Amino acid sequence: MAQIGNCCTDQLVGVNDSLCFTIDLGDTAGATLAIWEDTTTYVINGTILVENNGIEDVGPTAGLAVNGTAVAGFTVAPGEARSITVNNLNSIGIIGTGGTPAGTTGSVKVSFSLNYKY
């Protein structure tokens, strides 16, 4: 049986996690759809990639919220992808806007890395 926690004698150990999933995003009426929240005491840095695979001129655009605030200028139209690297990451959310006709959804892939030391 492994002795978890006894694998390294360094003072700080670096951890790199990554997640990737696809959501069916519609117009969220300006509300943020929470997709990740930090419940630890660690300072976490990471890179977030949003890929909007919705149909051009049909699917909604995808916006990004970090630490409870919409990221200015971060809008991903159907058929596009954008990324951002963030320090002191506490939460990640997606904001859907538009879609034609109203109520239309689009496939949005969200990938992010989490980097921290403990």
Side-chain angles (χ1 to χ4, degrees):
M1 175 184 270
Q3 292 182 346
I4 297 178
N6 288 333
C7 60
C8 185
T9 58
D10 293 342
Q11 273 189 317
L12 293 175
V13 176
V15 176
N16 302 312
D17 291 331
S18 60
L19 295 151
C20 180
F21 53 90
T22 302
I23 59 174
D24 195 24
L25 183 67
D27 191 333
T28 63
T32 300
L33 174 64
I35 58 173
W36 178 83
E37 185 174 329
D38 179 16
T39 58
T40 72
T41 58
Y42 306 123
V43 175
I44 298 177
N45 303 313
T47 299
I48 306 162
L49 170 69
V50 178
E51 180 182 338
N52 190 339
N53 294 312
I55 300 170
E56 286 186 54
D57 300 322
V58 175
T61 61
L64 180 67
V66 173
N67 299 340
T69 304
V71 177
F74 194 102
T75 303
V76 186
E80 296 180 354
R82 289 198 63 187
S83 66
I84 186 171
T85 299
V86 181
N87 294 321
N88 201 15
L89 191 56
N90 294 308
S91 65
I92 300 171
I94 298 292
I95 305 165
T97 306
T100 305
T104 300
T105 63
S107 174
V108 175
K109 184 176 183 180
V110 181
S111 305
F112 52 95
S113 66
L114 303 174
N115 310 298
Y116 55 97
K117 293 184 179 189
Y118 71 96

